[in-house]
Amino acid sequence: MSNKKHSQLHSDKLKPECDGDDDVVSVADGMAGMPVLGNSVGAGEYRDDGSNRSSSSESRRGSSPRTTEKEVEVSCHRPDLTSSLPRANRYEQQYGEKVPTMASLSGSGVVTHTAPSYEEQRASPALLSRNTGTPGGRSTRDDGYCSAGSTPRAFDHKSTKGSVVTLSCYKKEPKIQIEEEVYYSDSSKTSKTNNVLNKSESDDGRETWGTGADFLLSIIGFAVDLANVWRFPYLCYRNGGGAFLIPYTLMLVFGAVPLFYMELILGQYNRQGPITLWKICPLFKGVGFCAVMVAFYVSFYYNVIIGWAFYFLVSSARSELPWVHCDNSWNTEQCWDAARLNATNRTDIPYQGPLSHFTPASEFFHRAVLEMQHSEGLNDLGLPKWQLAVCLGVVYFTLYLSLFKGVKSSGKVVWMTATMPYVVLSILLARGLLLPGATRGIAYYLHPELTRLKDTQVWVDAAVQIFYSVGAGFGVHLSYASYNTFHNNCYRDCLVTTLVNCFTSFFSGFVIFTYLGFMSHKQGVPISSVATEGPGLVFQVYPEAVATLPGASLWAMLFFFMLIMLGLDSGMGGLECVITGLLDQARACGASRLRREHFTLAVVCLSFCVACINVTPGGIYMFHLLDTYAAGISLLCSALFEAVAVSWFYGLKRFSDDVEEMLGFRPGLYWRICWKFVSPVFIIGVVVFGLLYQQPLQYQHYTYPPWAVVLGWGLACSSILMIPIVAIYKLVTTPGTCRQRLACCISPESEHEAIRGGAPVSRFSWRHWLYV
């Protein structure tokens, strides 16, 4: 707004306040000889350009600063303001603009002096003090009405380019108030003024969840997945029963939960996907690519499990389950039907329990569903089985319908996928408790063996289980949180999700072991030969257990329906991470016309094509290879470098400021210590033990060839290597001297212009690195 416009605007607002010969002086007349500073901001106009802390999320705040117009009355003892304010040659030569000046009243005249330039502030750190009154630390005369300390503080790393002087007199008593105004160059003006508005009201064009419950159910649905059903109960049984809960809880509190909370904060504050988020520290942008690649690799085999469950669901919709007896075309001569007498079986091999390769349920899974008999190994995959390909296609079609509209559509789907498993688990538990041997199974599940805590492997199992169960490092929680409103209470969401996840794991163990105890009692085998983990539990042991129940088809359908619900919301989370991460990056590179519907279709189709490899006769070998290497060490590395980048390079102080800006409180000492020290050490320990205790890669009696192991490590390294590759690329392509390149790569992009202008780099100081 020009000075002329302001003069017209305020001409009718100026009224006299003194009697007698005191004249009323208008703003235009009173400022007549004083040069207009900055961008032609006249007297009486005050512009709020926001706080001095540069934001790392410019993209979510896009608005111009608000202008507040005030009435200015100048009366009684009008000073002589006809002299021009001095200028500073150095500032004008460098920026071609007028130097910031300040004025104070002294008797009947105006005393003017020059605000310190950026070079002067840098040469004398005392001038950067935030509480020394006027900009640059130079005080004005305090006449008793307002103190110099009331003047807004100077801004760090930026020199002021203008000051607005507002003069007013009340009953012949002079009073001066200097309102500081800061201007920046065009390239940095937006990043500094964006903090002015309330973040919750800013409109950056990014969609948000329909309700907070949609987001909460989505992260719960991703955290609570198939591993809660088929892995935790077995680990609890194998590692000391109830005693296993001690290392599990410790690893949860000091390892996984802080990283989970960190991801929610990063996504919600910056409102960016897992790749574009790293404008806060460009050196670690490869961490985002690593997380997206891991999530994409996992979709190649995780969705296949949902396809298997769908096939079992359809197969259960008949009066007699197909895995009850050995009279089917796929059964072998060695098939053992435990329900028959020994004389009626076609083999002399004694019954070895449900994990035997000769039970009806095992032969149905391996020979009827997977058709492994038609493959000799990984080098003989064969063609996809069309029935499984159709089931897999239905799964991916469901995922597309849930994702193509973004969180508006997926947020509604999770209301069923995240809540239905608890209903089914409750029904299955109520039925299982009525079976003979159920209490025996629960006793095996919970029987504490405190002596097992001396075993290092117990602690490693607890760490691995809780880490993968919470899901930190995938970038999924970060992607989901990026669609939150700015002031959403993600701290509460973190605690609720963690408690629900742990409860689900523990609760599902009761359900599984009631049926395992029933099977052990009915078939006369020890429970150690019944309990197992992974696909063997849900596709061999449990189907055989429910096959002996009255109304077996109903219970089987309920169980596999629960598996589908557990898998779908986790599958949605993985693909959402890929879509959000790549789509945000593509739009940041200029592809603004790229529609989410089309991009989602491309990602889903590509994932489906690769996943079809796992529904071939030899697909189970590829499935096991992907399950071992796709999200193992690479996922841990993603989480490790994420924690290091945020807590060390971005800085705990800056990160704590972000939390306070969003939630209204700063994170406590527990969170800060875990982020900076405990969680990274926790991950490093898991990685080291995982590398030291490498097991030979095999599936049942099939041992993988050496080239398959190389292929698996190549798959894992393909995502890990993105971290150093992108870091080197950033260091090479960033303009400036070597020192400026390093400074820009470890500092938020909003600070790069100031760094290139010679501003001091906070990350080159001990104070930044030692803050806790």
Side-chain angles (χ1 to χ4, degrees):
M1 184 179 293
S2 65
N3 291 332
K4 182 178 179 181
K5 186 175 181 179
H6 272 291
S7 300
Q8 296 174 355
L9 180 63
H10 294 290
S11 60
D12 296 332
K13 298 182 180 180
L14 301 176
K15 298 180 180 180
E17 290 189 68
C18 302
D19 300 329
D21 297 333
D22 294 330
D23 298 329
V24 178
V25 183
S26 68
V27 174
D29 295 334
M31 300 298 291
M34 181 176 291
V36 179
L37 305 176
N39 295 345
S40 300
V41 181
E45 178 185 7
Y46 172 69
R47 290 178 53 173
D48 183 4
D49 274 15
S51 65
N52 62 316
R53 189 169 69 81
S54 57
S55 169
S56 62
S57 56
E58 297 90 338
S59 61
R60 78 175 190 277
R61 310 179 187 99
S63 59
S64 60
R66 294 174 292 185
T67 301
T68 305
E69 298 179 354
K70 302 179 180 178
E71 296 183 14
V72 179
E73 301 179 3
V74 181
S75 62
C76 309
H77 299 279
R78 182 175 68 238
D80 184 10
L81 301 177
T82 57
S83 60
S84 299
L85 297 176
R87 301 180 180 180
N89 294 333
R90 188 186 311 171
Y91 190 92
E92 290 183 345
Q93 291 175 0
Q94 183 175 358
Y95 296 98
E97 299 175 0
K98 293 182 179 181
V99 70
T101 57
M102 285 170 272
S104 61
L105 290 181
S106 177
S108 60
V110 177
V111 179
T112 63
H113 53 82
T114 304
S117 65
Y118 171 73
E119 290 79 4
E120 292 173 331
Q121 294 181 10
R122 187 180 179 189
S124 179
L127 297 179
L128 292 175
S129 174
R130 294 186 175 186
N131 298 314
T132 55
T134 58
R138 302 184 181 184
S139 62
T140 63
R141 179 179 177 180
D142 187 356
D143 57 4
Y145 284 85
C146 62
S147 64
S150 65
T151 306
R153 66 188 182 185
F155 286 74
D156 293 344
H157 311 312
K158 290 288 184 179
S159 60
T160 58
K161 296 170 62 177
S163 301
V164 176
V165 181
T166 305
L167 303 178
S168 60
C169 297
Y170 296 92
K171 298 300 180 181
K172 300 183 181 181
E173 294 288 347
K175 180 178 180 181
I176 180 170
Q177 180 180 0
I178 299 181
E179 300 288 351
E180 180 187 25
E181 183 170 354
V182 180
Y183 295 92
Y184 307 98
S185 60
D186 293 338
S187 59
S188 63
K189 187 183 299 182
T190 303
S191 65
K192 290 296 184 180
T193 58
N194 282 336
N195 275 338
V196 176
L197 294 180
N198 187 329
K199 313 301 187 301
S200 63
E201 297 176 356
S202 62
D203 184 12
D204 55 7
R206 192 177 186 86
E207 62 180 333
T208 58
W209 296 96
T211 62
D214 293 349
F215 166 71
L216 182 59
L217 288 176
S218 295
I219 59 175
I220 289 176
F222 178 77
V224 179
D225 62 354
L226 296 172
N228 295 76
V229 174
W230 75 21
R231 181 167 172 81
F232 176 84
Y234 174 73
L235 289 179
C236 194
Y237 153 74
R238 191 182 71 180
N239 293 301
F244 180 72
L245 298 178
I246 297 177
Y248 180 83
T249 303
L250 292 176
M251 294 298 178
L252 170 73
V253 172
F254 294 105
V257 174
L259 296 177
F260 177 30
Y261 185 33
M262 174 184 286
E263 284 200 352
L264 295 184
I265 295 170
L266 286 173
Q268 181 170 308
Y269 183 83
N270 297 281
R271 289 182 63 82
Q272 293 291 317
I275 298 178
T276 52
L277 158 81
W278 289 103
K279 62 178 64 178
I280 66 173
C281 189
L283 187 69
F284 290 90
K285 190 172 184 177
V287 176
F289 285 102
C290 178
V292 169
M293 291 179 67
V294 170
F296 200 38
Y297 291 162
V298 170
S299 71
F300 297 158
Y301 69 91
Y302 190 87
N303 295 323
V304 175
I305 304 174
I306 311 174
W308 292 343
F310 189 76
Y311 187 94
F312 269 82
L313 177 65
V314 175
S315 301
S316 302
R318 59 182 69 180
S319 58
E320 185 181 53
L321 296 176
W323 55 85
V324 172
H325 52 74
C326 296
D327 297 331
N328 302 288
S329 59
W330 58 80
N331 292 126
T332 64
E333 292 294 328
Q334 290 77 28
C335 180
W336 176 276
D337 189 350
R340 299 184 180 184
L341 297 176
N342 292 341
T344 60
N345 279 287
R346 294 175 289 180
T347 179
D348 296 330
I349 301 176
Y351 180 68
Q352 301 292 330
L355 295 180
S356 170
H357 298 287
F358 308 114
T359 61
S362 177
E363 289 196 349
F364 175 77
F365 178 59
H366 290 106
R367 298 180 62 86
V369 180
L370 304 182
E371 296 186 353
M372 291 177 58
Q373 67 273 18
H374 301 309
S375 173
E376 297 180 357
L378 195 61
N379 58 341
D380 181 26
L381 294 178
L383 297 176
K385 180 180 178 179
W386 72 267
Q387 294 94 333
L388 289 180
V390 170
C391 293
L392 188 63
V394 172
V395 171
Y396 273 98
F397 181 71
T398 304
L399 292 174
Y400 176 77
L401 293 180
S402 304
L403 294 171
F404 82 104
K405 284 295 185 183
V407 296
K408 296 296 184 182
S409 56
S410 62
K412 305 307 177 187
V413 176
V414 294
W415 279 90
M416 181 179 69
T417 58
T419 57
M420 187 58 65
Y422 297 99
V423 177
V424 177
L425 281 174
S426 300
I427 295 174
L428 291 175
L429 178 62
R431 179 66 182 91
L433 289 175
L434 302 176
L435 299 175
T439 55
R440 179 186 175 189
I442 295 177
Y444 270 89
Y445 173 50
L446 296 178
H447 178 66
E449 298 180 22
L450 296 178
T451 57
R452 294 297 308 276
L453 298 180
K454 299 178 181 178
D455 189 357
T456 306
Q457 188 60 38
V458 174
W459 294 83
V460 174
D461 285 343
V464 172
Q465 170 60 22
I466 188 57
F467 187 85
Y468 288 110
S469 179
V470 170
F474 279 103
V476 176
H477 298 308
L478 194 153
S479 300
Y480 276 154
S482 68
Y483 297 105
N484 274 339
T485 55
F486 185 73
H487 295 293
N488 176 70
N489 192 348
C490 59
Y491 176 73
R492 174 203 59 201
D493 295 337
C494 171
L495 297 182
V496 171
T497 303
T498 303
L499 292 176
V500 171
N501 180 47
C502 295
F503 167 77
T504 306
S505 299
F506 195 63
F507 181 66
S508 63
F510 284 96
V511 179
I512 295 299
F513 271 83
T514 53
Y515 288 90
L516 297 185
F518 164 68
M519 177 178 288
S520 174
H521 170 79
K522 187 176 182 63
Q523 299 177 351
V525 295
I527 200 170
S528 58
S529 60
V530 177
T532 185
E533 61 175 322
L537 174 65
V538 297
F539 294 118
Q540 296 181 61
V541 178
Y542 195 87
E544 184 170 342
V546 299
T548 59
L549 295 177
S553 297
L554 174 62
W555 302 115
M557 292 178 66
L558 278 176
F559 179 76
F560 292 115
F561 178 74
M562 179 193 67
L563 291 184
I564 294 173
M565 295 296 103
L566 283 173
L568 277 178
D569 43 21
S570 298
M572 285 191 296
L575 288 179
E576 181 62 47
C577 173
V578 178
I579 295 168
T580 299
L582 296 181
L583 190 59
D584 285 352
Q585 179 64 23
R587 288 173 175 172
C589 294
S592 57
R593 296 185 178 181
L594 185 61
R595 295 178 60 86
R596 179 185 172 95
E597 294 87 348
H598 301 157
F599 189 77
T600 302
L601 180 61
V603 170
V604 168
C605 289
L606 180 59
S607 180
F608 170 75
C609 292
V610 179
C612 283
I613 299 176
N614 296 311
V615 296
T616 59
I620 186 63
Y621 305 116
M622 179 60 71
F623 173 91
H624 187 63
L625 180 73
L626 292 172
D627 187 27
T628 303
Y629 292 103
I633 301 299
S634 54
L635 178 62
L636 295 173
C637 290
S638 172
L640 172 63
F641 283 101
E642 178 183 287
V644 171
V646 172
S647 58
W648 289 89
F649 288 85
Y650 183 65
L652 272 184
K653 185 178 186 303
R654 180 72 174 270
F655 192 62
S656 299
D657 291 340
D658 296 345
V659 177
E660 185 176 20
E661 186 180 354
M662 283 195 310
L663 306 181
F665 58 86
R666 299 180 70 82
L669 184 62
Y670 156 75
W671 295 106
R672 300 197 303 271
I673 291 179
C674 286
W675 286 332
K676 196 160 190 175
F677 302 107
V678 179
S679 294
V681 172
F682 155 77
I683 299 175
I684 293 174
V686 175
V687 171
V688 171
F689 279 106
L691 294 175
L692 291 178
Y693 295 98
Q694 281 287 318
Q695 299 294 329
L697 185 62
Q698 64 180 38
Y699 181 78
Q700 293 184 350
H701 299 295
Y702 175 75
T703 301
Y704 284 75
W707 65 266
V709 178
V710 174
L711 176 64
W713 279 111
L715 185 70
C717 292
S718 64
S719 54
I720 297 175
L721 289 177
M722 294 301 296
I723 300 176
I725 290 175
V726 175
I728 295 173
Y729 173 79
K730 285 293 182 181
L731 287 172
V732 172
T733 58
T734 301
T737 64
C738 292
R739 185 179 185 278
Q740 290 175 342
R741 290 181 180 183
L742 179 60
C744 290
C745 285
I746 63 176
S747 302
E749 289 184 357
S750 56
E751 300 179 8
H752 289 185
E753 183 182 354
I755 292 174
R756 295 190 183 99
V761 182
S762 63
R763 286 156 186 82
F764 287 171
S765 64
W766 286 110
R767 183 178 181 182
H768 171 84
W769 298 96
L770 297 180
Y771 179 86
V772 177

